[in-house]
Amino acid sequence: MIEDQSELTQENLVRFAKETRCERVVIEYNGMWMLDALYSAMPESWMVYQEFMFADATTFLTYNTNMRNLVFDKLKSCELVVFNRFTPAMDKMAFHKIVRGASRRADIAYEAPDGNVVYDDIEDPLPFDVNAPVIEIGDDDYALWYRDMSEEPKKYEGKTVRFKAKALKRKRLPPKTFVIGRHVMTCCVEDIQFAALVCNWDKADSVTDEGWMILTAKINFKFSMAYGRKGPVLTYISHEDCEAPEQAVATFY
């Protein structure tokens, strides 16, 4: 037992392993501690094989409302989420949306008080048509689209997309290039980041810095000096200046 987070150290974990001569380690982790504390304390020779999250369905929605950062922290990397004490009166979709807001890969299971387990089979169709001549990204869907494009780039190779975002001009960018994107909040205010894309346009200098626009562009995944690696590069087709959306910070939920 480790009662205080200060005792969660690499030295202690190495000592426990030697004392018990264990080959495998199963950790029941304190949900009030962030997972990074555990991962940073792990000995270099340890490897995570599986990560599960177990949550009391009767209190989970309240915890998510009041302590979203702690809930998201446990959802972001787990392979299976088990909601125990789940009753027929509960709405699976409410739980499903919270999990999918953090991870699209995690399996979800609902365990009834009698021990019967049902696995989640709710489909998650994207709120936009990736096969349309022009993929229209709604104001509320930028975060979901950005993540989906990052996870499945081949799906968007050569596609034309239209979305609302903020344009930025920076001196360090290559010539005829500007950056466009939106701030995205994954969990809470502290983790807001600018989810940016590089766009090539001969008239990039004419872009209004920090101005909002509705951009139509073609996506190709290739090397860009702006990224310093391969990534999604937009080729400008057209744009319209516009006002910021009602909710300027994009979210997953």
Side-chain angles (χ1 to χ4, degrees):
M1 296 287 290
I2 292 179
E3 299 289 353
D4 192 282
Q5 190 172 337
S6 63
E7 299 172 5
L8 183 60
T9 64
Q10 188 172 116
E11 292 74 20
N12 277 338
L13 295 180
V14 169
R15 178 169 59 84
F16 296 155
K18 287 182 177 178
E19 290 175 353
T20 58
R21 299 181 181 180
C22 62
E23 294 181 356
R24 296 177 181 84
V25 179
V26 178
I27 298 174
E28 181 180 346
Y29 196 62
N30 186 338
M32 300 301 291
W33 297 353
M34 301 299 277
L35 280 174
D36 284 348
L38 172 62
Y39 288 135
S40 61
M42 279 189 181
E44 293 182 5
S45 60
W46 287 22
M47 179 182 69
V48 177
Y49 180 69
Q50 289 179 311
E51 183 184 322
F52 298 157
M53 174 184 172
F54 296 88
D56 182 345
T58 62
T59 58
F60 176 77
L61 298 180
T62 301
Y63 269 89
N64 182 68
T65 299
N66 297 313
M67 291 182 283
R68 170 70 181 170
N69 61 324
L70 287 171
V71 173
F72 177 84
D73 179 65
K74 308 307 177 297
L75 289 173
K76 64 184 181 182
S77 55
C78 67
E79 298 169 49
L80 172 67
V81 183
V82 178
F83 292 112
N84 52 43
R85 301 175 180 84
F86 200 88
T87 67
M90 295 176 177
D91 180 13
K92 290 181 182 178
M93 183 58 77
F95 294 79
H96 175 94
K97 284 183 176 180
I98 293 170
V99 176
R100 287 292 171 259
S103 169
R104 295 178 59 207
R105 296 186 175 92
D107 290 326
I108 307 171
Y110 306 97
E111 181 181 11
D114 63 4
N116 184 49
V117 177
V118 176
Y119 283 88
D120 187 283
D121 58 0
I122 299 173
E123 294 186 7
D124 290 296
L126 292 169
F128 43 83
D129 184 1
V130 296
N131 296 313
V134 177
I135 304 172
E136 298 279 353
I137 307 301
D139 290 352
D140 296 333
D141 302 327
Y142 182 87
L144 179 61
W145 167 65
Y146 189 90
R147 182 176 66 183
D148 192 58
M149 179 177 55
S150 301
E151 293 178 350
E152 299 187 58
K154 292 182 179 179
K155 185 193 299 183
Y156 296 92
E157 176 64 34
K159 297 294 182 70
T160 299
V161 65
R162 188 170 186 266
F163 60 94
K164 182 184 293 185
K166 181 188 292 187
L168 304 177
K169 293 195 296 185
R170 296 293 181 265
K171 292 181 180 179
R172 295 182 180 180
L173 289 173
K176 301 179 180 180
T177 302
F178 68 97
V179 169
I180 187 161
R182 288 182 62 180
H183 284 93
V184 172
M185 182 172 69
T186 304
C187 162
C188 49
V189 173
E190 288 76 13
D191 74 1
I192 293 177
Q193 294 184 337
F194 193 69
L197 296 165
V198 172
C199 185
N200 294 332
W201 184 29
D202 289 343
K203 298 180 181 179
D205 289 343
S206 67
V207 168
T208 301
D209 189 36
E210 301 282 345
W212 286 84
M213 66 166 64
I214 299 173
L215 176 69
T216 302
K218 184 178 180 180
I219 304 175
N220 293 104
F221 288 82
K222 56 187 178 182
F223 179 84
S224 170
M225 290 295 294
Y227 295 130
R229 55 176 173 78
K230 187 176 181 179
V233 177
L234 304 178
T235 300
Y236 176 94
I237 296 176
S238 65
H239 85 278
E240 309 161 31
D241 293 331
C242 65
E243 297 296 321
E246 184 175 347
Q247 182 173 311
V249 176
T251 64
F252 294 95
Y253 55 94

